Structure formats: C-alpha cells, structure tokens
Amino acid sequence: MRPNNANRTEGHIDWSSINWKSANRHVRNLRQRIFRATQEGDWDTVQSLQRLMLRSTSNAVISVRRVTQVNKGKDTPGIDKVTVKTPEERSKLLEEIVSFTPWRAKPAKRVYIPKASGKRRPLGIPVIKDRALQAIVKNALEPSWEAKFEASSYGFRPGRGAQDAIYRIWTVAKSKTKVWIVDADIQGCFDTINHNHLLETIGSFPAKELIRQWLKAGYVEMGELHATDAGTPQGGVISPLLANISLHGMETVLDAQRPGHPAKRTVIRYADDFVILCQTKADAEHAQETISQWLAVRGLQLSPDKTRIVHLKEGFDFLGFHVRIYPSDQKTQGGWKAVIRPSKKSELKIRKRLREEMLNLNGQNVTAVVKRLNPIIRGWANYFRTQAATKTFNKLDYFMNQRELQFVHRLHPNKPKYWLIARYFGKRNPYRQNRWVFGDIHNPDTYLYQFGWTNIQRHIMVKGTNSPDDPSLQGYWHNRELRKIRDLPPKPQTLARRQEGKCPLCGQSLFNDERYEEHHIVRRDEGGADTLDNLVLLHLFCHQQVTAAQLKQRKIRHEMLNSV
C-alpha cells in the first residue's frame, strides 16, 4: 500500500498533532462513496475508491488509533511480543504502514478464554502491525458489503446491535403466528469457515491477497506453528466482517424475504447466532435441514447438542434474554402474550460477578466499591432495560443489599447492625426517596447505583437495511446517536446534550466505543471551576491530546516570561 501524499505531510508524523476531525471526515466520505457506488453497481468506481481507501493516510491514522488505543486487546502482544503504548511508538507504527514496504502476514498467537459452559474458546491474536493493516482493509471492504447485507443481520455491523435483534424477535413473537423456533448454534463457526468459498464470495477486492495471507498464516501455540486450512481466527480485527460475508444470503435460502408479501419464515442473525421462526413444526424441521445443507457449502455445521426446535410456549434464550409467550387474560392478546426478560443464566452471571468483585474489594473503603461497581451495574441495567426487566432488577437490588451489609460488617466486625445501617445507608440519591442507598456518610455525593433506578424504555429498532455508510441517511443516524444520551448519568447527560452527542475534537459520536472524560476548559490549577459552563466531554485520547497541548503552551508562556 503506497501512501497518498495528499493526505499527509512529508517527514515525521507527530501523533500528538494529528487533526482527528479531518481524518475522520476523509474516511467517512470515502466509505460513503464506496457504499453509493456499490448501490449503483459501478464496480470499476468501487474498486478505484477501495484502492484509494487502502492508500489513505487518514485511514491508517484512524486504524492505528483503534488497534492501539480503543480495542480491548490493545495491550495483548502477538508472537513478536510487541505492544504500542506511547505516542512515539504510534507515530513509528504509522510511518511503517504508510510507507511502501512488502508485508507478509505473521502467524497469530493462540490463547484461550473461558466459556460459560466451562470449556475454553480459542483466540488468535495477530501481531500489532497485522491488526492495524486489518483495520485499514476493513474500512475499504466493509462499506461495499454494507450496501448488500440483509436486514436480518445485526451482529458486528456499524449502527446495529443485539437490541435490534431482540426487538425484531419481539415484533414477530407478539403476532403469535410463527411459534415454532429453530434455536440454532453453529459449531465452531469462526474455526471452520471454508477459505475458498469465502475468498470467492469476496470477489475481486484489491486487498484480497492480503486477506488470503491472514487466513492461511497459521497460529503459534506452545512455540509450535500450526497451519490454518479453515476458519477466521477470533481476535482478528477483520474476522467478524469475514464471518458476516460468509453467512450472507441466509434470508434468501430460507425464503424469509418477500418484498410486498408476508414471508412464512423469519430469520434473525447476530453474527454466528441465529433463530428461525416458523409457523409449523414440520416447516421448522424443513428449515433446519435447508440451513444445514447451505452451511455445509461454507464448511459449517449446526451443533447437534445445542440446536433444537422449540415452541414459543416453552421459550428460548437468545443474546442474554429469554423469549416466551405466556397465558394472558386479555382477549386482545388471543389468550397469550409475548414477554422477553433477562434469562436466568444472565441473572446468575451478574450475581456471580458482583459477588466476586465485592470479595476482591475486601478491606477497601466504600468509595472504592462505588467506583468499581457503578459502571458494571449501569451497563448491565442499560442492556436489559429495553424488555420486561423490572422484576429482575428488584431481585438484584435485594441481592446487592445483602452483599452490602456483609461488606460493611467485615469492615467493622465489632459494630452492631443499627450502627452500620446509620453510617452506610440513607437517602443519598437526591432524586429518590429510598433510604437504603449504599454509600459513605463522610462522602454523601458518592453512592452505589441501584438496578431499579433504570427505567424500562423500549428500543427503537433500526429500519430495514439502513446503514451509517448511506450518505442519504445522515440525519437518521444522528438522531439515533442522540437517543443514547439517555443512558448517561445526569451530569454527563447534560454535557452530551449540549454537544449534540459529539466529541468536539474529533467530531465523532461520544458513543463510538471509546471512553469519554470531563475536560475543564480553564484548568482547575489555573482557577477553573468544576461547573457545567467550564466542562466539556471528550474522548479519553482526545482529552489526552488537548491536555498535552495545554501543558505545552503553558511551558512556552513560562519560558517566555522567564526570558523577559
């Protein structure tokens, strides 16, 4: 990949002075042009724009930021044991990528993470340079496929998520016409995808050979190199997109998409997890056979132990929720009502995690407990708030109340219960009349969030095949991003509304998976107040860049004053 000199300055690239707003705008415009050209069937223009994206320094800048600062595995090295953590190291990696140097994909490092079943899931961790190159290639390949992907695909796609898939299931389940469910599980999907079929499906993409190298690079385990004749290793930046490409066409083969006519089946897929809703058991059995044959061509098969056909009266779990129809006294419901609530497995999992977190915090003060647990509780409640979760929230609040009493009893084993309650519980939340709010009497503004404070709010499902890469739908996607502000705590919520949900430095949504922080416009050590008019929300790394620039300017001013 040769650098596009129009997008960069010659010489050393200073990571701390990158214009993020300009880089993001350039990549966004290119993605939209690729999307539009694909819609129009102008394949020569599509390939020309994809080559431009692959050469773009703006794309390289954003890709390096994503893999070295944003992604969860940023601190996990590949087989070369290299991590990139400083601005100088990021500048060096960026210069290596934008300069033309032939690159041979390196094998991934095999690691294992525990699964809920007790087994271990294999991950393949590429070296950091391969991860950055994969992010670059993904930005060139993804927009074209976004113009082709089916409406039923919700996993690992921009602007879509688990809530869209769950709401789609609810809309179908509440009609009670498709009551037989193929609850499907693909056995080792990421490990068994057929390479030849995948590469044929990708077609004449300019970086197809580089994708072939990543697929065939192999993995290293216990110092031994293993070949990879199938699969896209989990842990690679581009792997979820490749899996979606391989599984594209499921709606068509199941005859679940009939424009203008109601389809007899509905399929909802989130990456490699999917369900097929059918009208009869016989049709569900036929759908399972059809999809099994279709998957076989792609090197995939359904898990015989986990795939089953169930009636909606029995219910099934999907993406952490339990979907089921229950008897109802309301005549308008036809005697039955569709209800989706957090699954028992999800409830037990969060109980276990909270219990372990509190045990690990033994001996620390209550402020440390609040700081650690509040993001966990808020995140879990916000995920499940879109369905019938009130009873579950109340049970979890009672569970936490018992854990809190145990925690403070361990802190003060010789104090009576009434003393513990008086010191650590009270009406600490000014917006609630609950006297059992956990916190410290010496720090009244810091208290533990409760699940029950999260109001149930129905999710608004993404429409049809709408994509953020569609240039004609920018207003639609901006409004969807603004709705996410309601999930923030009160103070950040006020700031986010004032900023229309965007980071002022990079111009991106505050909800793009990066952490955000409060930035003082006038620094506190220079007399700035901790008030809303002196605060702005910035992404963590944007905040670091602004702070570094402020300190640099202050140093220059100090040197000038000393020289006078």
Side-chain angles (χ1 to χ4, degrees):
M1 296 183 296
R2 295 183 182 277
N4 182 351
N5 291 326
N7 301 325
R8 70 184 293 250
T9 57
E10 296 296 331
H12 176 71
I13 301 173
D14 183 6
W15 186 262
S16 301
S17 62
I18 289 172
N19 187 331
W20 291 108
K21 190 172 289 188
S22 174
N24 281 310
R25 182 172 60 249
H26 180 76
V27 171
R28 181 175 62 252
N29 290 344
L30 270 179
R31 285 183 64 108
Q32 291 177 356
R33 292 170 66 190
I34 293 170
F35 181 96
R36 184 168 56 240
T38 303
Q39 280 187 321
E40 295 170 352
D42 188 351
W43 303 113
D44 289 339
T45 301
V46 169
Q47 291 198 19
S48 176
L49 291 169
Q50 287 174 332
R51 291 189 186 95
L52 185 61
M53 180 72 90
L54 292 168
R55 296 194 301 266
S56 167
T57 301
S58 294
N59 186 17
V61 162
I62 288 171
S63 298
V64 169
R65 172 167 173 162
R66 179 150 293 278
V67 302
T68 64
Q69 293 183 291
V70 180
N71 289 356
K72 290 182 179 179
K74 60 184 181 295
D75 296 326
T76 306
I79 60 170
D80 60 358
K81 300 181 181 179
V82 172
T83 57
V84 175
K85 296 184 177 181
T86 66
E88 292 75 23
E89 290 172 342
R90 294 184 189 105
S91 295
K92 181 180 178 182
L93 175 61
L94 182 58
E95 288 171 359
E96 290 176 4
I97 288 173
V98 298
S99 62
F100 178 73
T101 51
W103 178 251
R104 188 77 186 170
K106 298 186 183 301
K109 182 176 75 172
R110 174 59 61 90
V111 297
Y112 294 90
I113 59 173
K115 297 172 65 174
S117 62
K119 298 181 180 179
R120 297 191 304 166
R121 185 191 304 276
L123 294 183
I125 308 298
V127 298
I128 195 70
K129 187 172 180 180
D130 268 326
R131 277 178 261 174
L133 289 171
Q134 286 186 19
I136 290 171
V137 171
K138 181 184 177 185
N139 266 335
L141 179 62
E142 187 174 53
S144 181
W145 278 94
E146 275 296 304
K148 295 181 281 186
F149 278 147
E150 298 162 318
S152 61
S153 171
Y154 295 102
F156 301 110
R157 291 183 57 192
R160 292 168 176 257
Q163 298 297 339
D164 296 298
I166 290 297
Y167 189 88
R168 176 64 177 141
I169 289 177
W170 182 76
T171 60
V172 178
K174 72 176 183 177
S175 70
K176 297 175 289 297
T177 56
K178 299 169 185 174
V179 294
W180 286 97
I181 316 299
V182 181
D183 183 9
D185 181 86
I186 300 177
Q187 187 167 298
C189 176
F190 283 85
D191 299 325
T192 56
I193 288 176
N194 184 285
H195 288 172
N196 292 334
H197 182 275
L198 174 58
L199 292 168
E200 287 174 10
T201 305
I202 289 173
S204 55
F205 175 62
K208 181 176 178 178
E209 183 54 38
L210 197 50
I211 293 176
R212 186 193 305 274
Q213 284 190 37
W214 288 322
L215 293 174
K216 301 292 186 182
Y219 65 90
V220 174
E221 184 176 12
M222 303 294 290
E224 184 177 348
L225 177 63
H226 300 265
T228 47
D229 298 320
T232 60
Q234 295 187 64
V237 174
I238 202 170
S239 293
L241 173 60
L242 297 180
N244 274 334
I245 292 172
S246 186
L247 293 171
H248 174 65
M250 194 175 285
E251 270 189 8
T252 304
V253 74
L254 289 169
D255 198 22
Q257 186 181 38
R258 291 185 177 183
H261 301 281
K264 293 182 179 180
R265 299 168 181 161
T266 298
V267 59
I268 293 103
R269 180 172 66 84
Y270 187 90
D272 58 331
D273 293 330
F274 67 95
V275 291
I276 309 169
L277 296 91
C278 306
Q279 294 179 351
T280 66
K281 185 176 182 180
D283 188 48
E285 292 170 347
H286 180 61
Q288 181 176 339
E289 182 180 349
T290 300
I291 203 65
S292 295
Q293 295 172 0
W294 183 81
L295 288 171
V297 177
R298 290 151 179 76
L300 305 170
Q301 63 178 355
L302 296 176
S303 170
D305 299 329
K306 297 181 181 179
T307 300
R308 60 189 188 130
I309 295 176
V310 297
H311 195 279
L312 264 178
K313 293 179 182 178
E314 181 182 348
F316 64 95
D317 289 351
F318 190 65
L319 301 179
F321 291 89
H322 183 72
V323 185
R324 188 176 172 184
I325 58 174
Y326 294 85
S328 172
D329 295 333
Q330 300 179 22
K331 294 181 180 179
T332 55
Q333 298 285 349
W336 295 88
K337 172 175 71 171
V339 178
I340 301 180
R341 53 170 53 105
S343 69
K344 193 65 179 177
K345 187 183 295 185
S346 297
E347 183 183 342
L348 292 175
K349 187 176 179 180
I350 189 63
R351 283 174 181 255
K352 180 181 178 182
R353 181 179 181 185
L354 292 170
R355 184 187 297 111
E356 290 175 349
E357 292 285 357
M358 293 200 77
L359 288 174
N360 291 335
L361 289 164
N362 266 349
Q364 299 196 41
N365 59 29
V366 172
T367 301
V369 174
V370 171
K371 185 177 180 180
R372 176 65 186 143
L373 296 190
N374 269 355
I376 297 172
I377 295 172
R378 282 185 184 273
W380 198 92
N382 284 339
Y383 180 80
F384 288 101
R385 74 186 300 174
T386 61
Q387 301 299 329
T390 301
K391 288 184 179 179
T392 304
F393 287 171
N394 291 337
K395 286 194 294 182
L396 288 172
D397 282 333
Y398 178 78
F399 166 81
M400 284 303 296
N401 180 258
Q402 303 306 305
R403 303 285 78 71
E404 292 153 8
L405 284 169
Q406 291 176 8
F407 181 86
V408 294
H409 180 69
R410 286 193 294 269
L411 278 180
H412 309 281
N414 298 322
K415 294 292 185 181
K417 187 175 181 179
Y418 72 85
W419 186 90
L420 298 175
I421 292 173
R423 171 160 180 167
Y424 291 104
F425 296 88
K427 293 182 181 179
R428 307 191 187 283
N429 186 340
Y431 304 101
R432 303 279 172 172
Q433 293 302 311
N434 187 344
R435 68 183 185 89
W436 284 96
V437 179
F438 184 58
D440 194 325
I441 195 171
H442 299 302
N443 195 0
D445 294 330
T446 301
Y447 50 84
L448 194 65
Y449 190 81
Q450 294 187 5
F451 289 91
W453 296 347
T454 303
N455 297 325
I456 303 300
Q457 293 184 348
R458 287 292 181 190
H459 177 73
I460 299 176
M461 188 178 69
V462 63
K463 291 183 180 178
T465 57
N466 284 5
S467 169
D469 290 319
D470 189 339
S472 67
L473 297 175
Q474 295 313 295
Y476 170 83
W477 287 104
H478 177 63
N479 289 334
R480 285 187 68 84
E481 288 296 296
L482 289 179
R483 291 192 194 104
K484 297 178 182 178
I485 294 175
R486 68 188 185 185
D487 295 335
L488 300 178
K491 187 177 179 181
Q493 194 174 120
T494 302
L495 295 172
R497 290 192 188 282
R498 189 175 67 191
Q499 299 170 207
E500 295 189 337
K502 292 183 178 181
C503 170
L505 186 73
C506 67
Q508 294 295 95
S509 168
L510 287 168
F511 311 102
N512 67 346
D513 298 330
E514 297 189 40
R515 266 181 56 193
Y516 67 82
E517 290 184 344
E518 294 178 1
H519 169 68
H520 290 78
I521 300 170
V522 179
R523 293 173 58 87
R524 280 179 293 183
D525 56 3
E526 295 180 350
D530 194 24
T531 54
L532 290 174
D533 59 344
N534 191 47
L535 290 173
V536 65
L537 292 182
L538 297 175
H539 289 130
L540 169 63
F541 311 113
C542 294
H543 190 195
Q544 291 174 349
Q545 183 172 341
V546 170
T547 301
Q550 286 180 332
L551 292 174
K552 185 177 181 180
Q553 288 181 354
R554 188 164 68 172
K555 182 179 179 181
I556 292 172
R557 289 198 304 268
H558 182 71
E559 290 175 349
M560 291 178 63
L561 289 172
N562 287 340
S563 64
V564 174

